[in-house]
């Protein structure tokens, strides 16, 4: 299956023109020709079956044959807020794997102990795009630009809010306190964990302390574990 990400496609039209970059890839690299069938995803739930009617390396024309709306729509909403790691490769790995498993929104949160204060959203978003194409996901997860911790927790969120940290104290366990088919926001801290002040600040903003097991996990591993648990429990 040859799949293309086409966020600007109009489901009301019967034809679609691939961009010059995608046209070149389709014709020169994939060697697609007139009559070949392709699949398109718009990132908003639409999956399209199409046929090439003009295989031009700069402006390939497709005939849309069928449209499936809300393709594999998820029964819950998962938002992971994660502190960018010092080695950005680890965040890239998390974005790729979380997208393949299933996630709806990712926020990059700058904490007091964060060793990285910025990230190139454009590059990270391309990694997400590649992952939805790889895993045939019709929904493109939303990626938010880095924001300071104190600003992030002031943002509204309708659903269950958790903060996963390593400090002692009573913590919720998803396997015991989970409500299926809901909306979940889980915060994952930097390599040095959240500060006590940040944990307290989150608690005052109705975040529940969360445990992800007895092992001390890397930031990106903890985030992926949370992603896996939520998806597993919502099966």
């Amino acid at each position: 299956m040859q799949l293309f990400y086409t966020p600007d496609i109009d489901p009301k039209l019967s034809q679609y023109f691939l961009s010059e970059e995608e046209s070149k890839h389709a014709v020169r690299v994939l060697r697609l020709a007139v009559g070949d069938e392709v699949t398109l995803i718009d990132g908003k739930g639409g999956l399209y079956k199409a046929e090439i009617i003009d295989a031009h390396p700069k402006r390939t024309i497709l005939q849309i044959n069928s449209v499936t709306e809300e393709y594999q729509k998820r029964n819950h909403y998962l938002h992971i807020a994660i502190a960018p790691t010092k080695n950005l490769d680890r965040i890239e790995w998390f974005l790729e794997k979380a997208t393949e498993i299933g996630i709806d929104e990712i926020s990059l949160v700058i904490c007091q102990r964060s060793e990285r204060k910025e990230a190139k959203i454009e590059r990270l978003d391309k990694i997400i795009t590649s992952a939805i194409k790889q895993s045939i996901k019709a929904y493109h997860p939303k990626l938010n630009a880095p924001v300071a911790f104190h600003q992030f927790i002031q943002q509204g969120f309708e659903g269950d809010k958790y903060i996963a940290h390593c400090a002692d104290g009573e913590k919720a366990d998803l396997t015991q306190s989970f409500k299926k088919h809901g909306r979940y926001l889980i915060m994952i801290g930097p390599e040095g964990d959240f500060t006590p002040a940040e944990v307290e600040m989150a608690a005052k903003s109705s975040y529940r302390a969360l445990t992800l097991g007895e092992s001390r996990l890397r930031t990106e591993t903890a985030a992926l574990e949370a992603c896996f648990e939520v998806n597993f429990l919502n099966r």
Side-chain angles (χ1 to χ4, degrees), residues 199-214:
V199 173
E200 182 179 356
M201 197 182 306
K204 291 180 179 179
S205 296
S206 300
Y207 281 81
R208 296 179 63 189
L210 175 69
T211 177
L212 294 173
E214 297 181 359

Side-chain angles (χ1 to χ4, degrees), residues 145-163:
V147 62
F149 177 91
H150 71 277
Q151 294 176 318
F152 179 80
I153 64 169
Q154 292 174 2
Q155 299 175 6
F157 180 80
E158 294 184 5
D160 297 329
K161 300 187 295 184
Y162 299 93
I163 179 170

Side-chain angles (χ1 to χ4, degrees), residues 147-201:
V147 62
F149 177 91
H150 71 277
Q151 294 176 318
F152 179 80
I153 64 169
Q154 292 174 2
Q155 299 175 6
F157 180 80
E158 294 184 5
D160 297 329
K161 300 187 295 184
Y162 299 93
I163 179 170
H165 61 81
C166 299
D168 295 333
E170 184 178 350
K171 299 177 183 178
D173 185 327
L174 287 179
T175 60
Q176 298 176 356
S177 62
F178 194 75
K179 300 176 184 177
K180 295 187 70 171
H181 307 163
R183 293 172 56 85
Y184 322 97
L185 168 56
I186 300 177
M187 292 188 67
I188 307 293
E191 285 91 339
D193 202 9
F194 295 107
T195 65
E198 288 171 335
V199 173
E200 182 179 356
M201 197 182 306

